[in-house]
Amino acid sequence: MYRKHRVIFALLAIFALIMVDHLHSPTFAFNTGQGNARTSLNQLDVGACAPCGAPCPSSRD
Amino acid sequence: MSNLTETFSSNPADALVKAEAKSTGIRIDGFVVLVALIGLGLLGTLIYMETAPFLVGLFFLGGLLGVALYHGAFGFTAGWRNLIVKKESAGLRAQLILIALASLLMIPVLGSGQPGMVGAVAPVGLSLIVGSFLFGLGMQLGGGCGSGTLFTVGAGNLRMTVTLIFFIIGSLVGTFHLPWWLDRPGTDPISLISGFGVTGALIVQGIALLAVYLWIRKVEQKSHGHVSHADIQFRPGEKGWGATLLTGRWPFMWAVVVLAVGNLLTLLISGSPWSITFAFGLWGAKVAQAFGMDMSQYEFWTWDFPAQALRDSVLVNVTSVMNFGLLLGAMLAAGLANNFNATGKNLPQLKPFLAAIIGGLLMGYGARLGFGCNVGAFFSGIASASLHGWIWFASAFLGSIIGVKLRPKFSLPD
């Protein structure tokens, strides 16, 4: 049987980590008016050779 | 199973859920349902306020996929193990039907050549073979694959939380080594759409999927004298349609439809198919960076896509956003099934704990070398008509056979 406070604590911890990451990001800087911040709302790299962004083996020296 | 009398508190919202549950004869865990809904609402609002509407859509789509995985008990790992150990093929046959349906939906879209849309294609070479083999081995020791690990963690499984932590560590190490592996023998991605066109790719895929389907069906027939039709079952059990939809367990076909359409929607909304494990490496890299590690010394994190993801918020990384939704969706489903933290009363034993660590590390490292997991490489890869998906399947299945043989050494059941 789980403890309710542990469930809430675990979710709050994850939420806090997400917030810390977000508050230090270019997207947050952009949203707060720093127009020169480089956001990456669309990170899709159509030139990559794999979903993780790896280059093609043929393009490597 | 959690105790209802303790689960429902004097909280008004809990009381409301309790009242509804009573009126429908459904036993749900009101606390978990409420917390999951609040989590979905809070994070969804944050994503809406700070990013873009398409990411909100992907977040809730992730939630729906989490519900489907949990309620459908759609474990890739158990499906493979049941075939290897018990010669029962319904689970794997359901996976093949899932991939066939997703192929029908996604290959024409990918073949239409719309700009800004790419399939889950990846290089074919030693990196893929070694990575997928390690992943297959690791998923039998870890107790779940990429999606399985995530949805069981969402459902409150502590052992799988250990697996996830080491999955993340393994993924991070994999990002350090992937460039070296890429320089080993291999070729650029091979797309069946490029080779045969949309119709040709659909025919080739259809024949290959049917051949595997019939073969494993024959294995079951030979071993048991009959074949279970659980994979194509659409009608719910005795609980009825509504109660089964809400509290599970869904027939395989319900999950198949939701997962296949969900993958198509992911492709249409984000521009690429559903994947899971890239986010694990990313989360590990962000933690390592927070502890002062300079990630730019590793080639992987200098490539455009990983570098962008590392630099910016996890809330603008599609894989992370969908994973958050999936975790909360699985938590919601587990609450609705009154089954959250069902294994929590069992104290972790040393050997299974060790298996979770080794399995997590192998899956993480293997997923990076193999360009994804059961979702990103196997499901999305084959549904994108990429040859690497098929090679991933074969190699990971071989790894799973070894993994299944190792399970008794870690006191893990068949």
Side-chain angles (χ1 to χ4, degrees), chain A residues 2 4 11 21-22 26-27 31 40 43-44 49-52 55-58 60, chain B residues 7 29 35 50 116 121-122 183 188-189 286 299 305 311-314 317 341:
Chain A
Y2 63 88
K4 290 179 181 178
L11 287 178
D21 177 67
H22 182 66
T27 294
N31 290 344
S40 49
Q43 299 176 351
L44 190 66
C49 243
C52 66
C56 294
S58 62
R60 295 175 67 78
Chain B
T7 301
D29 187 332
V35 169
E50 290 294 309
V121 294
D183 290 335
D188 289 356
K286 280 180 176 285
E299 185 190 333
F305 175 63
R311 190 173 54 240
D312 213 334
S313 168
V314 285
N317 177 250
N341 191 229

PDB file of all heavy atoms in Angstrom, chain A residues 2 4 11 21-22 26-27 31 40 43-44 49-52 55-58 60, chain B residues 7 29 35 50 116 121-122 183 188-189 286 299 305 311-314 317 341:
ATOM      1  N   TYR A   2       0.576   2.153  -0.864  1.00  0.00           N
ATOM      2  CA  TYR A   2       1.395   3.360  -0.949  1.00  0.00           C
ATOM      3  C   TYR A   2       0.993   4.369   0.117  1.00  0.00           C
ATOM      4  O   TYR A   2      -0.093   4.304   0.683  1.00  0.00           O
ATOM      5  CB  TYR A   2       1.239   3.984  -2.336  1.00  0.00           C
ATOM      6  CG  TYR A   2      -0.165   4.455  -2.638  1.00  0.00           C
ATOM      7  CD1 TYR A   2      -0.565   5.739  -2.291  1.00  0.00           C
ATOM      8  CD2 TYR A   2      -1.094   3.623  -3.262  1.00  0.00           C
ATOM      9  CE1 TYR A   2      -1.850   6.184  -2.539  1.00  0.00           C
ATOM     10  CE2 TYR A   2      -2.380   4.056  -3.514  1.00  0.00           C
ATOM     11  CZ  TYR A   2      -2.756   5.337  -3.148  1.00  0.00           C
ATOM     12  OH  TYR A   2      -4.030   5.773  -3.384  1.00  0.00           O
ATOM     13  N   LYS A   4       0.156   8.289   0.688  1.00  0.00           N
ATOM     14  CA  LYS A   4      -0.291   9.415  -0.146  1.00  0.00           C
ATOM     15  C   LYS A   4       0.739  10.529  -0.205  1.00  0.00           C
ATOM     16  O   LYS A   4       0.984  11.114  -1.270  1.00  0.00           O
ATOM     17  CB  LYS A   4      -1.623   9.959   0.396  1.00  0.00           C
ATOM     18  CG  LYS A   4      -2.789   9.026   0.176  1.00  0.00           C
ATOM     19  CD  LYS A   4      -4.064   9.613   0.753  1.00  0.00           C
ATOM     20  CE  LYS A   4      -5.220   8.653   0.559  1.00  0.00           C
ATOM     21  NZ  LYS A   4      -6.467   9.152   1.143  1.00  0.00           N
ATOM     22  N   LEU A  11       5.659  13.536  -7.155  1.00  0.00           N
ATOM     23  CA  LEU A  11       5.175  14.363  -8.274  1.00  0.00           C
ATOM     24  C   LEU A  11       5.648  15.805  -8.143  1.00  0.00           C
ATOM     25  O   LEU A  11       6.021  16.438  -9.130  1.00  0.00           O
ATOM     26  CB  LEU A  11       3.643  14.302  -8.349  1.00  0.00           C
ATOM     27  CG  LEU A  11       3.082  12.982  -8.876  1.00  0.00           C
ATOM     28  CD1 LEU A  11       1.566  13.006  -8.869  1.00  0.00           C
ATOM     29  CD2 LEU A  11       3.566  12.700 -10.295  1.00  0.00           C
ATOM     30  N   ASP A  21      14.462  23.523 -14.715  1.00  0.00           N
ATOM     31  CA  ASP A  21      14.999  23.431 -16.082  1.00  0.00           C
ATOM     32  C   ASP A  21      14.380  24.511 -16.967  1.00  0.00           C
ATOM     33  O   ASP A  21      15.079  25.196 -17.717  1.00  0.00           O
ATOM     34  CB  ASP A  21      14.701  22.038 -16.650  1.00  0.00           C
ATOM     35  CG  ASP A  21      15.154  21.901 -18.090  1.00  0.00           C
ATOM     36  OD1 ASP A  21      16.374  21.933 -18.322  1.00  0.00           O
ATOM     37  OD2 ASP A  21      14.294  21.774 -18.983  1.00  0.00           O
ATOM     38  N   HIS A  22      13.070  24.671 -16.845  1.00  0.00           N
ATOM     39  CA  HIS A  22      12.380  25.628 -17.725  1.00  0.00           C
ATOM     40  C   HIS A  22      12.770  27.073 -17.407  1.00  0.00           C
ATOM     41  O   HIS A  22      12.968  27.882 -18.320  1.00  0.00           O
ATOM     42  CB  HIS A  22      10.863  25.448 -17.587  1.00  0.00           C
ATOM     43  CG  HIS A  22      10.084  26.349 -18.484  1.00  0.00           C
ATOM     44  ND1 HIS A  22      10.119  26.239 -19.856  1.00  0.00           N
ATOM     45  CD2 HIS A  22       9.276  27.410 -18.222  1.00  0.00           C
ATOM     46  CE1 HIS A  22       9.369  27.179 -20.389  1.00  0.00           C
ATOM     47  NE2 HIS A  22       8.847  27.903 -19.417  1.00  0.00           N
ATOM     48  N   PRO A  26      16.128  29.166 -22.722  1.00  0.00           N
ATOM     49  CA  PRO A  26      15.905  30.277 -23.662  1.00  0.00           C
ATOM     50  C   PRO A  26      14.417  30.533 -23.912  1.00  0.00           C
ATOM     51  O   PRO A  26      14.022  31.677 -24.122  1.00  0.00           O
ATOM     52  CB  PRO A  26      16.581  29.789 -24.946  1.00  0.00           C
ATOM     53  CG  PRO A  26      17.553  28.764 -24.520  1.00  0.00           C
ATOM     54  CD  PRO A  26      16.967  28.115 -23.315  1.00  0.00           C
ATOM     55  N   THR A  27      13.602  29.487 -23.884  1.00  0.00           N
ATOM     56  CA  THR A  27      12.170  29.684 -24.111  1.00  0.00           C
ATOM     57  C   THR A  27      11.568  30.572 -23.023  1.00  0.00           C
ATOM     58  O   THR A  27      10.801  31.498 -23.316  1.00  0.00           O
ATOM     59  CB  THR A  27      11.437  28.323 -24.151  1.00  0.00           C
ATOM     60  OG1 THR A  27      11.884  27.612 -25.298  1.00  0.00           O
ATOM     61  CG2 THR A  27       9.931  28.488 -24.234  1.00  0.00           C
ATOM     62  N   ASN A  31      10.003  34.281 -23.407  1.00  0.00           N
ATOM     63  CA  ASN A  31       8.657  34.596 -22.927  1.00  0.00           C
ATOM     64  C   ASN A  31       8.639  35.800 -21.982  1.00  0.00           C
ATOM     65  O   ASN A  31       7.621  36.478 -21.847  1.00  0.00           O
ATOM     66  CB  ASN A  31       8.043  33.386 -22.205  1.00  0.00           C
ATOM     67  CG  ASN A  31       7.708  32.265 -23.172  1.00  0.00           C
ATOM     68  OD1 ASN A  31       7.653  32.475 -24.368  1.00  0.00           O
ATOM     69  ND2 ASN A  31       7.522  31.067 -22.641  1.00  0.00           N
ATOM     70  N   SER A  40      13.741  27.163 -29.270  1.00  0.00           N
ATOM     71  CA  SER A  40      13.696  26.071 -30.264  1.00  0.00           C
ATOM     72  C   SER A  40      12.384  25.326 -30.098  1.00  0.00           C
ATOM     73  O   SER A  40      12.369  24.165 -29.705  1.00  0.00           O
ATOM     74  CB  SER A  40      14.891  25.134 -30.096  1.00  0.00           C
ATOM     75  OG  SER A  40      15.029  24.758 -28.756  1.00  0.00           O
ATOM     76  N   GLN A  43      12.072  21.489 -32.725  1.00  0.00           N
ATOM     77  CA  GLN A  43      13.434  20.970 -32.731  1.00  0.00           C
ATOM     78  C   GLN A  43      13.674  19.934 -33.816  1.00  0.00           C
ATOM     79  O   GLN A  43      14.732  19.325 -33.879  1.00  0.00           O
ATOM     80  CB  GLN A  43      13.751  20.354 -31.358  1.00  0.00           C
ATOM     81  CG  GLN A  43      13.667  21.369 -30.229  1.00  0.00           C
ATOM     82  CD  GLN A  43      13.875  20.739 -28.867  1.00  0.00           C
ATOM     83  OE1 GLN A  43      13.928  19.523 -28.731  1.00  0.00           O
ATOM     84  NE2 GLN A  43      13.975  21.577 -27.852  1.00  0.00           N
ATOM     85  N   LEU A  44      12.675  19.722 -34.664  1.00  0.00           N
ATOM     86  CA  LEU A  44      12.795  18.681 -35.685  1.00  0.00           C
ATOM     87  C   LEU A  44      13.981  18.966 -36.612  1.00  0.00           C
ATOM     88  O   LEU A  44      14.115  20.066 -37.136  1.00  0.00           O
ATOM     89  CB  LEU A  44      11.506  18.648 -36.510  1.00  0.00           C
ATOM     90  CG  LEU A  44      11.344  17.478 -37.484  1.00  0.00           C
ATOM     91  CD1 LEU A  44      11.224  16.177 -36.716  1.00  0.00           C
ATOM     92  CD2 LEU A  44      10.118  17.680 -38.357  1.00  0.00           C
ATOM     93  N   CYS A  49      20.060  11.782 -39.795  1.00  0.00           N
ATOM     94  CA  CYS A  49      19.894  10.434 -40.347  1.00  0.00           C
ATOM     95  C   CYS A  49      19.213   9.493 -39.367  1.00  0.00           C
ATOM     96  O   CYS A  49      19.055   8.308 -39.665  1.00  0.00           O
ATOM     97  CB  CYS A  49      21.259   9.876 -40.734  1.00  0.00           C
ATOM     98  SG  CYS A  49      21.387   9.573 -42.509  1.00  0.00           S
ATOM     99  N   ALA A  50      18.842   9.994 -38.203  1.00  0.00           N
ATOM    100  CA  ALA A  50      18.179   9.158 -37.188  1.00  0.00           C
ATOM    101  C   ALA A  50      17.357  10.061 -36.285  1.00  0.00           C
ATOM    102  O   ALA A  50      17.631  11.265 -36.193  1.00  0.00           O
ATOM    103  CB  ALA A  50      19.218   8.396 -36.366  1.00  0.00           C
ATOM    104  N   PRO A  51      16.335   9.503 -35.622  1.00  0.00           N
ATOM    105  CA  PRO A  51      15.498  10.335 -34.752  1.00  0.00           C
ATOM    106  C   PRO A  51      16.275  11.065 -33.656  1.00  0.00           C
ATOM    107  O   PRO A  51      15.843  12.114 -33.194  1.00  0.00           O
ATOM    108  CB  PRO A  51      14.524   9.319 -34.140  1.00  0.00           C
ATOM    109  CG  PRO A  51      14.461   8.212 -35.132  1.00  0.00           C
ATOM    110  CD  PRO A  51      15.832   8.119 -35.718  1.00  0.00           C
ATOM    111  N   CYS A  52      17.429  10.524 -33.256  1.00  0.00           N
ATOM    112  CA  CYS A  52      18.202  11.174 -32.192  1.00  0.00           C
ATOM    113  C   CYS A  52      19.076  12.303 -32.720  1.00  0.00           C
ATOM    114  O   CYS A  52      19.781  12.952 -31.955  1.00  0.00           O
ATOM    115  CB  CYS A  52      19.077  10.154 -31.464  1.00  0.00           C
ATOM    116  SG  CYS A  52      20.384   9.458 -32.507  1.00  0.00           S
ATOM    117  N   PRO A  55      24.158  12.004 -37.497  1.00  0.00           N
ATOM    118  CA  PRO A  55      24.416  12.226 -38.921  1.00  0.00           C
ATOM    119  C   PRO A  55      24.516  10.904 -39.680  1.00  0.00           C
ATOM    120  O   PRO A  55      24.622   9.835 -39.071  1.00  0.00           O
ATOM    121  CB  PRO A  55      25.772  12.939 -38.913  1.00  0.00           C
ATOM    122  CG  PRO A  55      26.435  12.453 -37.669  1.00  0.00           C
ATOM    123  CD  PRO A  55      25.352  12.191 -36.675  1.00  0.00           C
ATOM    124  N   CYS A  56      24.480  10.964 -40.999  1.00  0.00           N
ATOM    125  CA  CYS A  56      24.596   9.748 -41.804  1.00  0.00           C
ATOM    126  C   CYS A  56      26.023   9.214 -41.751  1.00  0.00           C
ATOM    127  O   CYS A  56      26.979  10.001 -41.770  1.00  0.00           O
ATOM    128  CB  CYS A  56      24.235  10.045 -43.255  1.00  0.00           C
ATOM    129  SG  CYS A  56      22.510  10.489 -43.475  1.00  0.00           S
ATOM    130  N   PRO A  57      26.175   7.890 -41.688  1.00  0.00           N
ATOM    131  CA  PRO A  57      27.531   7.325 -41.709  1.00  0.00           C
ATOM    132  C   PRO A  57      28.330   7.800 -42.924  1.00  0.00           C
ATOM    133  O   PRO A  57      29.543   8.024 -42.825  1.00  0.00           O
ATOM    134  CB  PRO A  57      27.277   5.810 -41.773  1.00  0.00           C
ATOM    135  CG  PRO A  57      25.941   5.636 -41.143  1.00  0.00           C
ATOM    136  CD  PRO A  57      25.153   6.851 -41.507  1.00  0.00           C
ATOM    137  N   SER A  58      27.663   7.981 -44.068  1.00  0.00           N
ATOM    138  CA  SER A  58      28.379   8.379 -45.292  1.00  0.00           C
ATOM    139  C   SER A  58      28.931   9.802 -45.208  1.00  0.00           C
ATOM    140  O   SER A  58      29.827  10.157 -45.963  1.00  0.00           O
ATOM    141  CB  SER A  58      27.440   8.285 -46.498  1.00  0.00           C
ATOM    142  OG  SER A  58      26.359   9.177 -46.330  1.00  0.00           O
ATOM    143  N   ARG A  60      30.376  11.014 -42.546  1.00  0.00           N
ATOM    144  CA  ARG A  60      31.436  11.090 -41.535  1.00  0.00           C
ATOM    145  C   ARG A  60      32.780  10.788 -42.154  1.00  0.00           C
ATOM    146  O   ARG A  60      32.910   9.961 -43.052  1.00  0.00           O
ATOM    147  CB  ARG A  60      31.149  10.099 -40.396  1.00  0.00           C
ATOM    148  CG  ARG A  60      29.878  10.478 -39.641  1.00  0.00           C
ATOM    149  CD  ARG A  60      29.510   9.458 -38.614  1.00  0.00           C
ATOM    150  NE  ARG A  60      30.470   9.386 -37.515  1.00  0.00           N
ATOM    151  CZ  ARG A  60      30.524  10.260 -36.524  1.00  0.00           C
ATOM    152  NH1 ARG A  60      29.693  11.259 -36.492  1.00  0.00           N
ATOM    153  NH2 ARG A  60      31.414  10.125 -35.552  1.00  0.00           N
TER     154      ARG A  60
ATOM    155  N   THR B   7      -8.414   4.638   0.806  1.00  0.00           N
ATOM    156  CA  THR B   7      -8.125   5.431  -0.378  1.00  0.00           C
ATOM    157  C   THR B   7      -9.020   6.658  -0.449  1.00  0.00           C
ATOM    158  O   THR B   7      -8.586   7.755  -0.734  1.00  0.00           O
ATOM    159  CB  THR B   7      -8.333   4.572  -1.632  1.00  0.00           C
ATOM    160  OG1 THR B   7      -7.469   3.469  -1.543  1.00  0.00           O
ATOM    161  CG2 THR B   7      -8.024   5.361  -2.880  1.00  0.00           C
ATOM    162  N   ASP B  29      -9.518   4.182  -7.444  1.00  0.00           N
ATOM    163  CA  ASP B  29      -8.718   4.817  -6.396  1.00  0.00           C
ATOM    164  C   ASP B  29      -8.835   6.334  -6.578  1.00  0.00           C
ATOM    165  O   ASP B  29      -8.133   6.927  -7.397  1.00  0.00           O
ATOM    166  CB  ASP B  29      -7.260   4.347  -6.533  1.00  0.00           C
ATOM    167  CG  ASP B  29      -6.402   4.830  -5.382  1.00  0.00           C
ATOM    168  OD1 ASP B  29      -6.724   5.891  -4.804  1.00  0.00           O
ATOM    169  OD2 ASP B  29      -5.399   4.154  -5.076  1.00  0.00           O
ATOM    170  N   VAL B  35      -5.114  13.034  -8.166  1.00  0.00           N
ATOM    171  CA  VAL B  35      -3.746  13.557  -8.277  1.00  0.00           C
ATOM    172  C   VAL B  35      -3.278  13.533  -9.734  1.00  0.00           C
ATOM    173  O   VAL B  35      -2.662  14.484 -10.221  1.00  0.00           O
ATOM    174  CB  VAL B  35      -2.788  12.745  -7.367  1.00  0.00           C
ATOM    175  CG1 VAL B  35      -1.329  13.080  -7.673  1.00  0.00           C
ATOM    176  CG2 VAL B  35      -3.079  13.024  -5.903  1.00  0.00           C
ATOM    177  N   GLU B  50       3.548  28.468 -21.665  1.00  0.00           N
ATOM    178  CA  GLU B  50       4.960  28.738 -21.935  1.00  0.00           C
ATOM    179  C   GLU B  50       5.430  28.299 -23.313  1.00  0.00           C
ATOM    180  O   GLU B  50       6.497  28.716 -23.756  1.00  0.00           O
ATOM    181  CB  GLU B  50       5.822  28.028 -20.871  1.00  0.00           C
ATOM    182  CG  GLU B  50       5.711  28.649 -19.484  1.00  0.00           C
ATOM    183  CD  GLU B  50       6.293  30.057 -19.435  1.00  0.00           C
ATOM    184  OE1 GLU B  50       7.424  30.243 -19.873  1.00  0.00           O
ATOM    185  OE2 GLU B  50       5.582  30.969 -18.971  1.00  0.00           O
ATOM    186  N   GLY B 116       8.903  19.096 -43.843  1.00  0.00           N
ATOM    187  CA  GLY B 116       8.883  19.149 -42.373  1.00  0.00           C
ATOM    188  C   GLY B 116       8.346  17.897 -41.724  1.00  0.00           C
ATOM    189  O   GLY B 116       7.921  17.928 -40.570  1.00  0.00           O
ATOM    190  N   VAL B 121      13.525   6.752 -39.545  1.00  0.00           N
ATOM    191  CA  VAL B 121      14.529   5.997 -40.295  1.00  0.00           C
ATOM    192  C   VAL B 121      15.883   6.181 -39.619  1.00  0.00           C
ATOM    193  O   VAL B 121      16.119   7.199 -38.975  1.00  0.00           O
ATOM    194  CB  VAL B 121      14.615   6.451 -41.772  1.00  0.00           C
ATOM    195  CG1 VAL B 121      13.336   6.124 -42.523  1.00  0.00           C
ATOM    196  CG2 VAL B 121      14.912   7.941 -41.863  1.00  0.00           C
ATOM    197  N   ALA B 122      16.749   5.200 -39.742  1.00  0.00           N
ATOM    198  CA  ALA B 122      18.058   5.279 -39.078  1.00  0.00           C
ATOM    199  C   ALA B 122      19.061   4.405 -39.827  1.00  0.00           C
ATOM    200  O   ALA B 122      18.671   3.493 -40.572  1.00  0.00           O
ATOM    201  CB  ALA B 122      17.932   4.829 -37.623  1.00  0.00           C
ATOM    202  N   ASP B 183      30.974   5.062 -36.493  1.00  0.00           N
ATOM    203  CA  ASP B 183      32.129   4.929 -37.395  1.00  0.00           C
ATOM    204  C   ASP B 183      32.475   3.470 -37.687  1.00  0.00           C
ATOM    205  O   ASP B 183      33.403   3.187 -38.445  1.00  0.00           O
ATOM    206  CB  ASP B 183      33.340   5.656 -36.797  1.00  0.00           C
ATOM    207  CG  ASP B 183      33.149   7.160 -36.824  1.00  0.00           C
ATOM    208  OD1 ASP B 183      32.381   7.637 -37.682  1.00  0.00           O
ATOM    209  OD2 ASP B 183      33.745   7.856 -35.976  1.00  0.00           O
ATOM    210  N   ASP B 188      23.879   4.214 -44.693  1.00  0.00           N
ATOM    211  CA  ASP B 188      22.844   5.213 -44.438  1.00  0.00           C
ATOM    212  C   ASP B 188      21.477   4.524 -44.346  1.00  0.00           C
ATOM    213  O   ASP B 188      21.330   3.366 -44.757  1.00  0.00           O
ATOM    214  CB  ASP B 188      22.836   6.245 -45.569  1.00  0.00           C
ATOM    215  CG  ASP B 188      24.062   7.149 -45.504  1.00  0.00           C
ATOM    216  OD1 ASP B 188      24.850   7.008 -44.548  1.00  0.00           O
ATOM    217  OD2 ASP B 188      24.243   7.971 -46.411  1.00  0.00           O
ATOM    218  N   PRO B 189      20.466   5.227 -43.831  1.00  0.00           N
ATOM    219  CA  PRO B 189      19.131   4.609 -43.710  1.00  0.00           C
ATOM    220  C   PRO B 189      18.630   4.047 -45.035  1.00  0.00           C
ATOM    221  O   PRO B 189      18.892   4.613 -46.100  1.00  0.00           O
ATOM    222  CB  PRO B 189      18.252   5.782 -43.268  1.00  0.00           C
ATOM    223  CG  PRO B 189      19.175   6.722 -42.599  1.00  0.00           C
ATOM    224  CD  PRO B 189      20.483   6.601 -43.319  1.00  0.00           C
ATOM    225  N   LYS B 286      21.001  16.600 -18.795  1.00  0.00           N
ATOM    226  CA  LYS B 286      20.665  17.831 -18.070  1.00  0.00           C
ATOM    227  C   LYS B 286      21.096  17.730 -16.600  1.00  0.00           C
ATOM    228  O   LYS B 286      21.599  18.697 -16.028  1.00  0.00           O
ATOM    229  CB  LYS B 286      19.162  18.104 -18.176  1.00  0.00           C
ATOM    230  CG  LYS B 286      18.770  18.751 -19.510  1.00  0.00           C
ATOM    231  CD  LYS B 286      17.286  19.002 -19.598  1.00  0.00           C
ATOM    232  CE  LYS B 286      16.924  19.723 -20.884  1.00  0.00           C
ATOM    233  NZ  LYS B 286      17.266  21.150 -20.881  1.00  0.00           N
ATOM    234  N   GLU B 299      30.705  14.494 -28.624  1.00  0.00           N
ATOM    235  CA  GLU B 299      30.258  14.834 -29.978  1.00  0.00           C
ATOM    236  C   GLU B 299      28.738  14.794 -30.113  1.00  0.00           C
ATOM    237  O   GLU B 299      28.140  15.661 -30.760  1.00  0.00           O
ATOM    238  CB  GLU B 299      30.898  13.875 -30.991  1.00  0.00           C
ATOM    239  CG  GLU B 299      30.568  14.245 -32.438  1.00  0.00           C
ATOM    240  CD  GLU B 299      30.993  13.183 -33.443  1.00  0.00           C
ATOM    241  OE1 GLU B 299      31.945  12.429 -33.165  1.00  0.00           O
ATOM    242  OE2 GLU B 299      30.345  13.104 -34.508  1.00  0.00           O
ATOM    243  N   PHE B 305      20.263  18.593 -33.305  1.00  0.00           N
ATOM    244  CA  PHE B 305      19.037  18.252 -32.557  1.00  0.00           C
ATOM    245  C   PHE B 305      19.313  18.042 -31.063  1.00  0.00           C
ATOM    246  O   PHE B 305      18.645  18.669 -30.211  1.00  0.00           O
ATOM    247  CB  PHE B 305      18.369  17.029 -33.185  1.00  0.00           C
ATOM    248  CG  PHE B 305      17.174  16.513 -32.436  1.00  0.00           C
ATOM    249  CD1 PHE B 305      16.039  17.294 -32.277  1.00  0.00           C
ATOM    250  CD2 PHE B 305      17.177  15.244 -31.872  1.00  0.00           C
ATOM    251  CE1 PHE B 305      14.938  16.827 -31.577  1.00  0.00           C
ATOM    252  CE2 PHE B 305      16.089  14.764 -31.173  1.00  0.00           C
ATOM    253  CZ  PHE B 305      14.963  15.552 -31.016  1.00  0.00           C
ATOM    254  N   ARG B 311      19.993  22.588 -24.744  1.00  0.00           N
ATOM    255  CA  ARG B 311      20.060  24.019 -24.428  1.00  0.00           C
ATOM    256  C   ARG B 311      18.716  24.545 -23.930  1.00  0.00           C
ATOM    257  O   ARG B 311      18.648  25.414 -23.080  1.00  0.00           O
ATOM    258  CB  ARG B 311      20.505  24.776 -25.685  1.00  0.00           C
ATOM    259  CG  ARG B 311      20.861  26.237 -25.445  1.00  0.00           C
ATOM    260  CD  ARG B 311      21.442  26.877 -26.689  1.00  0.00           C
ATOM    261  NE  ARG B 311      20.574  26.734 -27.841  1.00  0.00           N
ATOM    262  CZ  ARG B 311      20.905  26.111 -28.971  1.00  0.00           C
ATOM    263  NH1 ARG B 311      22.086  25.556 -29.081  1.00  0.00           N
ATOM    264  NH2 ARG B 311      20.057  26.037 -29.983  1.00  0.00           N
ATOM    265  N   ASP B 312      17.639  24.013 -24.484  1.00  0.00           N
ATOM    266  CA  ASP B 312      16.327  24.595 -24.197  1.00  0.00           C
ATOM    267  C   ASP B 312      15.552  23.776 -23.158  1.00  0.00           C
ATOM    268  O   ASP B 312      16.031  22.771 -22.648  1.00  0.00           O
ATOM    269  CB  ASP B 312      15.527  24.734 -25.498  1.00  0.00           C
ATOM    270  CG  ASP B 312      14.620  25.962 -25.478  1.00  0.00           C
ATOM    271  OD1 ASP B 312      14.236  26.385 -24.373  1.00  0.00           O
ATOM    272  OD2 ASP B 312      14.300  26.490 -26.550  1.00  0.00           O
ATOM    273  N   SER B 313      14.342  24.213 -22.887  1.00  0.00           N
ATOM    274  CA  SER B 313      13.502  23.608 -21.853  1.00  0.00           C
ATOM    275  C   SER B 313      13.017  22.212 -22.272  1.00  0.00           C
ATOM    276  O   SER B 313      12.775  21.959 -23.453  1.00  0.00           O
ATOM    277  CB  SER B 313      12.285  24.518 -21.623  1.00  0.00           C
ATOM    278  OG  SER B 313      11.314  23.865 -20.855  1.00  0.00           O
ATOM    279  N   VAL B 314      12.832  21.334 -21.281  1.00  0.00           N
ATOM    280  CA  VAL B 314      12.246  20.027 -21.596  1.00  0.00           C
ATOM    281  C   VAL B 314      10.806  20.191 -22.090  1.00  0.00           C
ATOM    282  O   VAL B 314      10.273  19.311 -22.755  1.00  0.00           O
ATOM    283  CB  VAL B 314      12.239  19.049 -20.387  1.00  0.00           C
ATOM    284  CG1 VAL B 314      13.608  18.500 -20.106  1.00  0.00           C
ATOM    285  CG2 VAL B 314      11.628  19.686 -19.160  1.00  0.00           C
ATOM    286  N   ASN B 317      10.657  19.975 -25.782  1.00  0.00           N
ATOM    287  CA  ASN B 317      11.159  18.740 -26.379  1.00  0.00           C
ATOM    288  C   ASN B 317       9.985  17.758 -26.490  1.00  0.00           C
ATOM    289  O   ASN B 317       9.419  17.333 -25.473  1.00  0.00           O
ATOM    290  CB  ASN B 317      12.281  18.157 -25.521  1.00  0.00           C
ATOM    291  CG  ASN B 317      12.785  16.825 -26.065  1.00  0.00           C
ATOM    292  OD1 ASN B 317      12.548  15.791 -25.468  1.00  0.00           O
ATOM    293  ND2 ASN B 317      13.448  16.843 -27.196  1.00  0.00           N
ATOM    294  N   ASN B 341       0.340   1.151  -7.638  1.00  0.00           N
ATOM    295  CA  ASN B 341       1.343   0.627  -6.707  1.00  0.00           C
ATOM    296  C   ASN B 341       0.980  -0.782  -6.222  1.00  0.00           C
ATOM    297  O   ASN B 341       1.178  -1.139  -5.070  1.00  0.00           O
ATOM    298  CB  ASN B 341       1.485   1.586  -5.510  1.00  0.00           C
ATOM    299  CG  ASN B 341       2.667   1.276  -4.619  1.00  0.00           C
ATOM    300  OD1 ASN B 341       2.537   1.195  -3.404  1.00  0.00           O
ATOM    301  ND2 ASN B 341       3.820   1.087  -5.202  1.00  0.00           N
TER     302      ASN B 341
END
